[in-house]
Amino acid sequence: MDQPAPPNRTLKALLIRIGAIAALATMGALIKYTADQGVHLLEILFWRQALSLPILLGWIWLATRSFQVLATNRPGAHVKRAVVGLLGMFGNFGGVVLLPLAEATTMAFTTPIWAVILSMIFLKDEVGIWRWSAVALGFAGVLIIAQPGSGTIPLFGATVALSGAFIVAVVSLQLADLGKTESPQTIVFYFALITAPICVLGLPFVSTALTSQTMLLLLAIGVIGTIGQLLLTASLRYGNVASVIVMDYSSLFWATLYGWFIFGALPGAWTWVGAPLVVAAGLLITWREHVLARRELADQRQATGT
């Protein structure tokens, strides 16, 4: 259960989270730019995962002077998480490649909405008027942005991006289960360790001759993406999920900035209308989850007399 963190720790958590989101948004822009240079998405995914392994090992060693944290009794669960997570990466990165950055980022914001629906179906959670309202608000925002049938946003690209967000919501359920026994470092390491060889299988069919520029781009994607992932984990050491997740929406700022600066594209008029609705839906869900968590904690304390 989330506990309130001291103000100084919360501020540190927020700053780390902002850095993490900036790094991941930068990675997204680099992925789009690299794909525009003719590098296949599968090849980008391979280097993203493979390059993270030595960085993760170095970080774990510096932090613990041991690799004991990588011991696991749940290899099967890690394999399932890796396979589903790889599909999610294809969806998220594919959305970045197929859509303008701001629109792809907004579609990714639907993950909390999908999570509400999945928790109701699989975890039998009761979903009240607040969260149902958030779901409706979020999907209204998506429809406003996508404008189905208008040709403004590529339908295939929107479908890929929304599928990625849905799969990430599925992964969140897997991570909640894995997190009961595994450390964040263990989960991230095995994800990279399992998915990199899977990507290798497809490389003979899609790999191209890499120039020095594309090699540098792929290196930057791997390094910056791993740093962002580590910072995401670190942010939760100083603040709880409810307090830091709000910073995730700062990625829309970076997506808009990179979209204009690198690709010469600003969000369309309907995106300026729909994106706030999707963001508001995510914030409403986060707020409601926080309220319910605090209420449950209060009930437990009352029941135990503490």
Side-chain angles (χ1 to χ4, degrees):
M1 195 66 62
D2 287 345
Q3 299 282 355
N8 60 324
R9 289 176 62 87
T10 299
L11 177 60
K12 183 180 292 187
L14 292 174
L15 292 175
I16 293 173
R17 193 78 174 192
I18 289 173
I21 297 306
L24 294 176
T26 302
M27 179 192 69
L30 288 172
I31 287 172
K32 186 174 183 64
Y33 185 79
T34 304
D36 286 349
Q37 305 307 304
V39 181
H40 194 277
L41 179 58
L42 180 61
E43 192 164 10
I44 295 174
L45 279 174
F46 166 73
W47 288 107
R48 162 66 183 89
Q49 295 299 85
L51 289 170
S52 69
L53 288 171
I55 300 172
L56 287 168
L57 288 173
W59 179 61
I60 291 170
W61 177 257
L62 290 173
T64 66
R65 295 296 176 182
S66 168
F67 294 119
Q68 185 61 37
V69 70
L70 298 180
T72 180
N73 293 318
R74 304 182 65 187
H78 283 288
V79 170
K80 291 178 183 178
R81 178 267 188 273
V83 171
V84 177
L86 185 59
L87 292 174
M89 289 183 74
F90 267 109
N92 285 336
F93 291 177
V96 166
V97 171
L98 296 169
L99 296 174
L101 280 175
E103 282 75 2
T105 301
T106 303
M107 295 298 176
F109 289 158
T110 61
T111 292
I113 300 170
W114 293 116
V116 168
I117 296 173
L118 288 171
S119 66
M120 179 190 67
I121 296 173
F122 294 105
L123 303 180
K124 308 303 181 184
D125 283 358
E126 293 185 9
V127 179
I129 185 64
W130 285 105
R131 285 185 287 180
W132 274 127
S133 298
V135 169
L137 185 67
F139 282 122
V142 169
L143 289 174
I144 290 172
I145 295 169
Q147 293 284 298
S150 68
T152 303
I153 298 294
L155 182 59
F156 179 67
T159 302
V160 169
L162 288 172
S163 298
F166 172 79
I167 295 172
V168 170
V170 175
V171 170
S172 69
L173 298 181
Q174 294 178 308
L175 293 178
D177 176 60
L178 272 171
K180 296 174 183 177
T181 60
E182 312 290 276
S183 70
Q185 300 98 315
T186 307
I187 295 171
V188 173
F189 176 78
Y190 282 109
F191 179 47
L193 183 67
I194 296 168
T195 53
I198 294 175
C199 293
V200 166
L201 298 176
L203 286 186
F205 304 99
V206 300
S207 60
T208 57
L210 299 177
T211 66
S212 57
Q213 181 189 25
T214 53
M215 289 179 66
L216 286 173
L217 287 170
L218 291 170
L219 177 63
I221 288 169
V223 172
I224 294 174
T226 305
I227 290 173
Q229 203 166 25
L230 293 175
L231 288 175
L232 281 179
T233 302
S235 70
L236 298 178
R237 292 176 55 194
Y238 300 101
N240 55 51
V241 175
S243 66
V244 301
I245 199 172
V246 176
M247 294 298 102
D248 292 10
Y249 294 100
S250 64
S251 60
L252 191 55
F253 163 78
W254 294 107
T256 302
L257 181 65
Y258 285 135
W260 170 70
F261 185 71
I262 299 176
F263 304 100
L266 285 171
W270 287 112
T271 301
W272 292 106
V273 177
L277 299 182
V278 178
V279 171
L283 292 175
L284 180 58
I285 290 171
T286 301
W287 167 78
R288 188 58 181 169
E289 294 291 345
H290 184 57
V291 169
L292 293 175
R294 292 180 67 88
R295 185 179 299 170
E296 183 178 344
L297 178 61
D299 291 342
Q300 290 177 354
R301 287 175 172 172
Q302 185 176 11
T304 58
T306 59

